[in-house]
Amino acid sequence: MKRIKKLIGAIIPLLFLSAVLCGQAQETGSVQVATMAPNNRAVTVYYRVPKDYDAKRLDSYRVLFIFGGRNTTGKADVTGRLGWGKWADEQGVFIVCPGFKDDNYWEPKAWSGKALSDAVTLIGKKYKICQSKLFFYGYSAGSQSSNLFPAWRPDSARAWVSHACGYFYNPSAMMRGVPGLVTCGDADTARYVISRRFVEGNRKFGIDVIWRSYPNHPHDVPPDSLELARAFFTFYHTKYASDLRHSNLAGRAEPEKPQFIGDAEDYEFYPVDSPGAKNIPPEDQVPLPSKAVAEAWQGGRK
């Protein structure tokens, strides 16, 4: 018995260390907010604290909202379902995942927008987060939230990504200066068509939403789409680091002058002023703001 106890005593610290190294033991928590929506009287919103969080640092911490598939609780996404934890630790970003259910929660004007704002206020009482210039990511039903929420309050959004989305905001000049990325598997036929039409609709307002499809992928989340989303957020997180200085809150992003142009048909990219870029048909041109984003955009061609 003593040998067993001794063995257990040795294993438990190793398990804890393994969890830490794998990012599983990072601090998470939740807040609850009340609403009048029939199926959401008490909404639980989960959050994840980045590894090296320092309440004494001068800058605040950015928030990334992750909206999972339809009616997810938020718990699985905040604890690592899609592997955002490593990126969030590297960039110093809080992950926040709401557990909305039904009641057209992807439409923020009715109730869910206020509920999420209330949750961020509660989290902000405990942690030094920037409650504006927010990031939004969503897949499947959650992708509807990740573009409709920024469109609800564009001045509070810094950038957004929607993957495999079936419902977008109506393209509008109000979203100029709020960078967006839309991705979808081309075997996810209906959402592929809807996504591409949405991207084209934005161009009429001079808004370049980055577009990337993934060959032979159905309604899933390709790993390469996640790498692109992270490169996209990293670019804007770094470029607008001044968002996190409360005394110098930056405004909307200036329309990006792309550094590269991608070809939506063969996934090659070229310097913006090169002959290769100029030879891409206008409808297939994808403006890309940096080489890192362009390389992530090109990934997963096969």
Side-chain angles (χ1 to χ4, degrees):
M1 180 62 72
K2 288 183 178 179
R3 290 182 64 186
I4 292 175
K5 288 182 177 180
K6 190 173 182 179
L7 182 61
I8 292 173
I11 290 174
I12 289 175
L14 289 174
L15 291 174
F16 177 77
L17 177 61
S18 175
V20 171
L21 292 175
C22 292
Q24 301 299 315
Q26 189 52 37
E27 180 183 353
T28 60
S30 65
V31 295
Q32 275 205 336
V33 293
T35 85
M36 296 301 291
N39 296 294
N40 292 270
R41 293 307 177 102
V43 176
T44 300
V45 178
Y46 293 90
Y47 61 84
R48 181 186 186 278
V49 183
K51 183 172 66 173
D52 295 324
Y53 174 75
D54 179 6
K56 296 181 180 179
R57 85 172 195 177
L58 293 179
D59 290 354
S60 58
Y61 288 76
R62 198 183 300 276
V63 170
L64 164 67
F65 293 111
I66 296 180
F67 300 91
R70 187 181 179 92
N71 289 354
T72 54
T73 66
K75 189 171 185 179
D77 291 300
V78 89
T79 54
R81 191 205 311 255
L82 292 180
W84 280 96
K86 182 175 182 292
W87 177 87
D89 286 341
E90 291 172 350
Q91 301 298 324
V93 173
F94 273 70
I95 295 174
V96 175
C97 303
F100 295 143
K101 182 180 180 181
D102 298 326
D103 300 321
N104 292 337
Y105 64 82
W106 47 86
E107 294 281 9
K109 293 181 181 179
W111 65 272
S112 56
K114 182 180 185 304
L116 201 57
S117 296
D118 289 347
V120 169
T121 299
L122 290 173
I123 297 168
K125 290 181 179 179
K126 187 175 181 181
Y127 298 99
K128 192 175 183 179
I129 60 172
C130 180
Q131 298 184 37
S132 187
K133 303 309 171 190
L134 307 163
F135 284 165
F136 299 82
Y137 174 86
Y139 60 92
S140 191
S143 65
Q144 299 172 179
S145 299
S146 67
N147 73 81
L148 290 169
F149 275 67
W152 175 54
R153 288 186 176 173
D155 289 336
S156 293
R158 174 53 72 206
W160 60 272
V161 178
S162 288
H163 177 76
C165 187
Y167 182 51
F168 291 94
Y169 65 82
N170 290 324
S172 164
M174 289 184 64
M175 288 298 282
R176 189 175 290 121
V178 186
L181 165 65
V182 172
T183 57
C184 190
D186 66 5
D188 193 1
T189 310
R191 293 174 180 83
Y192 172 87
V193 172
I194 291 169
S195 297
R196 184 126 197 192
R197 285 176 178 168
F198 169 77
V199 172
E200 292 170 356
N202 274 274
R203 289 180 177 175
K204 296 176 182 178
F205 293 92
I207 300 171
D208 290 322
V209 174
I210 296 176
W211 162 245
R212 178 64 158 93
S213 63
Y214 290 89
N216 305 316
H217 275 274
H219 193 58
D220 62 359
V221 184
D224 289 302
S225 74
L226 290 167
E227 290 303 311
L228 174 56
R230 289 166 190 150
F232 174 82
F233 282 137
T234 298
F235 175 80
Y236 287 103
H237 178 57
T238 302
K239 180 172 182 177
Y240 291 95
S242 57
D243 290 344
L244 309 180
R245 298 172 196 134
H246 289 298
S247 61
N248 184 32
L249 189 61
R252 292 198 198 185
E254 292 296 323
E256 288 296 328
K257 179 175 178 9
Q259 299 300 306
F260 299 89
I261 300 295
D263 187 333
E265 289 301 309
D266 64 10
Y267 311 110
E268 294 290 350
F269 67 89
Y270 307 89
V272 66
D273 293 323
S274 68
K278 294 175 182 177
N279 287 333
I280 302 172
E283 66 272 17
D284 292 329
Q285 292 184 6
V286 180
L288 301 164
S290 72
K291 190 171 185 180
V293 173
E295 289 174 342
W297 178 88
Q298 186 181 54
R301 286 186 291 175
K302 304 300 182 184

